Amino acid sequence: MSNNDKRIYKTKKILSETLFELLLEKNINEITIAELADKAYISRGTFYYHYEDIYALYKDVKTSFYQELETFMCNRPADSWNANLSRLLSFIQSNAHIVRVLSKSQGKQELRSELLTFFEDRMTEIVLYEMKADHLQEDWKYMIRYHCSGTVSVFLFWIESNFSLPKENI
């Protein structure tokens, strides 16, 4: 069977969605394969055909999320920082089921770190391009960290508030 097989895609999608439903209720170490398989209406054998354990599934879904984020932001750059932030807010909102789980207390620092790295890398690329330079001066590194840290904090607060404000207000 090819990895492009629609059945494989559907099974993995169901498994990831079910895992995130369960992760909203409990920690990953409290979830069993049997529980996940029952809730996803698949056999345990089907689960093991695709993944070694729950942690492998979680890692696969998280990796896919960050790859999709990277692709989303980098393949269609906008003309302005505000336009990029608006697109990113749309992406976060459309992936609310994942970001809610990733922003839970046990994963919050990891999400913060991943987003901060992502923002700093993109901002650094933009600044280097705009300055026609190949490295940043030390003061620019501080300014980039300052702006990106604030942006990430606002995003996490928005996620924690269950997207209480419209993205246009953020």
Side-chain angles (χ1 to χ4, degrees):
M1 239 183 298
S2 131
N3 275 345
N4 293 330
D5 188 322
K6 288 181 182 179
R7 292 173 294 173
I8 291 174
Y9 173 79
K10 284 182 179 181
T11 300
K12 286 186 170 189
K13 183 170 174 56
I14 289 167
L15 285 170
S16 66
E17 289 171 355
T18 305
L19 177 63
F20 280 106
E21 283 177 34
L22 290 169
L23 284 170
L24 287 172
E25 302 166 9
K26 55 176 87 174
N27 292 328
I28 194 166
N29 59 347
E30 299 169 334
I31 300 170
T32 66
I33 302 292
E35 176 184 23
L36 178 69
D38 286 346
K39 191 167 177 88
Y41 299 106
I42 63 162
S43 70
R44 286 176 26 160
T46 299
F47 176 88
Y48 284 116
Y49 177 79
H50 298 285
Y51 298 101
E52 180 180 318
D53 57 22
I54 296 275
Y55 299 97
L57 169 59
Y58 181 75
K59 181 180 178 187
D60 185 50
V61 174
K62 193 171 73 167
T63 299
S64 294
F65 170 76
Y66 286 115
Q67 286 172 344
E68 191 177 333
L69 173 62
E70 180 85 18
T71 300
F72 182 79
M73 291 306 294
C74 296
N75 287 350
R76 299 184 341 215
D79 293 334
S80 71
W81 181 246
N82 284 342
N84 276 319
L85 288 177
S86 178
R87 289 181 58 242
L88 184 57
L89 288 168
S90 295
F91 178 83
I92 287 174
Q93 204 166 28
S94 67
N95 287 280
H97 62 290
I98 294 174
V99 294
R100 280 190 186 107
V101 168
L102 294 176
S103 67
K104 280 178 62 175
S105 59
Q106 70 265 23
K108 188 174 183 175
Q109 284 307 101
E110 185 178 359
L111 178 62
R112 178 181 300 279
S113 175
E114 293 279 351
L115 287 175
L116 184 59
T117 299
F118 178 80
F119 279 127
E120 285 182 356
D121 290 348
R122 299 298 81 66
M123 181 68 90
T124 298
E125 290 170 5
I126 291 167
V127 169
L128 288 173
Y129 176 79
E130 292 292 325
M131 297 174 91
K132 295 176 178 55
D134 60 356
H135 72 281
L136 286 178
Q137 294 177 355
E138 200 65 22
D139 59 337
W140 275 97
K141 292 177 185 177
Y142 280 89
M143 286 189 284
I144 289 171
R145 171 63 59 98
Y146 173 78
H147 288 289
C148 293
S149 294
T151 301
V152 169
S153 291
V154 168
F155 280 12
L156 290 174
F157 188 70
W158 187 54
I159 293 164
E160 291 166 9
S161 74
N162 200 22
F163 311 104
S164 62
L165 286 177
K167 71 177 178 126
E168 295 77 21
N169 292 21
I170 302 298

